[in-house]
Amino acid sequence: RQWDIGAPPTPNISNMDPLTITNIQTHGDMNDGYRSWASSCLDVQHNNNNNDDDNNEEENGNERMVQVLCQQAKHKFLNMHEGHDEELAQLSLALGPALKSDLSVSIVRALGTIRGALMGVSVSSKALKVETLDLLEGYLLAQCECESASSSSVSASVGPVDGAVSDIVISAVECVEALLLCCKSVMENLEIVEVLRIACDAVRGAGISSLMRVGRSACYSLLQKALDVFVHLKKNRNIDNTPSTDEEYLRSFASFCASSLMGEKDPRCLLSALQLLQQCLAQFPSRVIPHREFFERASIYYPISFYPPPNDPHKVTREDLQVCLRQVICAPSMPISLPFTLFIQHLFDEFDEDDGEDNEKSCDIKYEIIEDTTNLIKFDSVNTATDLQEGHPSLSRSDIDKFSSALIRAHEWSFEIAPSQHLEEKTNEGKEGSSSALRLSHKCLSVASQVSSMLDRKSDLWDAFCSSPIRVLSRRCGEMPESLRGRSSSRYLCALSCSSAAAHQRCVQELSPQLLNIIRSAATARSKWSRDTDFERVIAALISLKALMQLKTQNSVQFFPDSLVIYSDEAM
């Protein structure tokens, strides 16, 4: 297993009969089919001109040849009844000259032929000997190493040297994937964690971050296939609990998968990487998952900013990426404080206040963040603050206070970017054609009312979410009710007021005196009114007072007008 790059693997002859050994040592390959494939690998016609059309045609011809060799080898080994180990040894010897070639095309064709043979073995469900797997593993892992490959005398038939090396590495990675599929049939003398180690070694040697998109996709596919084979072997061997001796291998594999995500920008590769982390969370015990590393690697992509172009042929949607990302950063085993802090941080992010397409997207993103936060905490699954604290002990009064402040700020921001839409009272969230700003505003009000109704008035969490904001917003509304912030505060207070009797009473006590004071002051000095200021202020105060006194019911909460008596007579 200490072969140089390009050197053919030495066949494992320990279990061959004497006649086979003699034939291989004397003739190298007694199969005419293998000799024909080897000739096809070496038969490379290289164009020395710089014509792009000729080069593209040559490259397409090489790809077709690799596909043909791969299919022929797959068909032969699929229909083979026995002797797969010996035949693989003969095939390796026959392909030796191609694997030692200075032309990358010859090496890629030879690797494609080996991959086809391994695919045939895996589909036929014939068991290879562990010695054969070790033999092929050592050679293929060596071919995956970029640095060693680049230092060899490989020259490109098409494109620069880096492209040639990349082609070899990708072909070797695909061969390792086919090799792992063969492991499904190898039941004896093979530790199931070995498939994870092999995949990590191959991808580490390939240098996933230095590869082009196609190469990175091949590496993610290899890691995913290794995980699938691991689960298959574990199920077939009826292994319910992971042995403690294997936990370090699982932890290392999970950490390696997380590190491979760093710097990924292509949506297709990002989706594959997130799905890989998702599978690790589902298949591995929670104690071996590096949760903080998973979160740190994945959270940099939140919220998803990718919007596919029209008629995207790759069919990767923003929704697909969102679902996978949420399942990683909001996994049941993930400490809730990590995603909660992330969501609140992004809710507080400031956006430009100029109208435009960017603001529409920003509103949609804030809407999604609020949904993610409420789904994370699951306020609808608790009835009291005690239940909330028991279900989420890591959330404190400070956390709930930050969530309340974030909702208020997001609601204010929706007013700032689209003030005219909020003045139309009949427009609502469910109406078709509602703007993103209006949808965001209604979402903030809905969540605020929902959370307030779920919390116990006597708890610190209710005081953090309702009592303090009511006091601050009432003061703001009483100062300038006609301003955008005043109108926003009034509407938010009305939403809280409708959530529970306690919240309604607190809103009336804090806000009504402020509004009545505006009306009283205007009435005593009406001769000094200015149409542009006092009229608007009094009208805004009357509208807010009317909204507060129009009692509504929500969540089967009944309200009694006792707290309004002292204010209603004075208002009239």
Side-chain angles (χ1 to χ4, degrees), residues 166 169-170 173 206 208 211-220 269:
S166 178
V169 170
I170 293 172
V173 168
I208 183 172
L211 296 175
M212 301 294 286
R213 199 275 312 168
V214 176
R216 299 198 306 276
S217 292
C219 289
Y220 289 128
C269 293

Side-chain angles (χ1 to χ4, degrees), residues 65-138:
M65 178 58 69
V66 172
Q67 294 175 0
V68 169
L69 292 171
C70 180
Q71 289 300 320
Q72 289 179 353
K74 178 181 177 180
H75 178 75
K76 178 176 179 59
F77 279 80
L78 176 61
N79 294 285
M80 193 177 296
H81 299 291
E82 59 184 5
H84 294 79
D85 298 271
E86 292 79 2
E87 293 294 327
L88 281 172
Q90 293 185 45
L91 175 61
S92 301
L93 284 176
L95 295 175
L99 292 167
K100 291 187 294 183
S101 173
D102 292 339
L103 295 176
S104 65
V105 173
S106 295
I107 300 176
V108 170
R109 290 181 181 182
L111 290 172
T113 307
I114 295 175
R115 176 165 61 93
L118 292 172
M119 292 170 60
V121 174
S122 65
V123 174
S124 66
S125 300
K126 300 296 183 182
L128 291 177
K129 297 175 182 177
V130 175
E131 293 80 7
T132 303
L133 294 177
D134 289 342
L135 179 79
L136 293 171
E137 173 205 339

Side-chain angles (χ1 to χ4, degrees), residues 534-546:
D534 292 332
F535 275 171
E536 291 295 331
R537 182 165 299 175
V538 172
I539 290 172
L542 288 171
I543 291 175
S544 298
L545 194 62
K546 169 194 171 185

Side-chain angles (χ1 to χ4, degrees), residues 477-478 480-482 487 490 511-512 514-520 534-548:
C477 188
M480 297 184 67
E482 76 280 9
R487 294 178 186 274
S490 174
L511 182 58
S512 295
Q514 306 262 10
L515 298 176
L516 288 172
N517 186 55
I518 292 175
I519 300 173
R520 187 185 304 110
D534 292 332
F535 275 171
E536 291 295 331
R537 182 165 299 175
V538 172
I539 290 172
L542 288 171
I543 291 175
S544 298
L545 194 62
K546 169 194 171 185
L548 193 62

Side-chain angles (χ1 to χ4, degrees), residues 49 53 97 121 135 244 274 311 331 381 388 390 393 396 419 443 457 542:
N49 56 53
D53 293 336
V121 174
L135 179 79
S244 57
L274 291 174
N311 303 318
S381 66
L388 178 63
E390 290 177 352
S396 62
K443 186 65 176 178
R457 180 187 178 184
L542 288 171

Side-chain angles (χ1 to χ4, degrees), residues 11 19-39 76-77 86-97 113:
L19 180 60
T20 302
I21 295 175
T22 302
N23 281 318
I24 292 179
Q25 291 177 338
T26 304
H27 303 289
D29 176 21
M30 62 180 182
N31 190 301
D32 291 337
Y34 299 160
R35 189 179 297 112
S36 175
W37 294 343
S39 299
K76 178 176 179 59
F77 279 80
E86 292 79 2
E87 293 294 327
L88 281 172
Q90 293 185 45
L91 175 61
S92 301
L93 284 176
L95 295 175
T113 307

Side-chain angles (χ1 to χ4, degrees), residues 351 359 362-363 366 409-417 440:
F351 296 95
N359 277 337
S362 298
C363 285
K366 282 185 177 290
R409 179 65 191 109
H411 184 252
E412 288 179 351
W413 184 74
S414 71
F415 263 75
E416 293 169 3
I417 63 173
L440 174 61

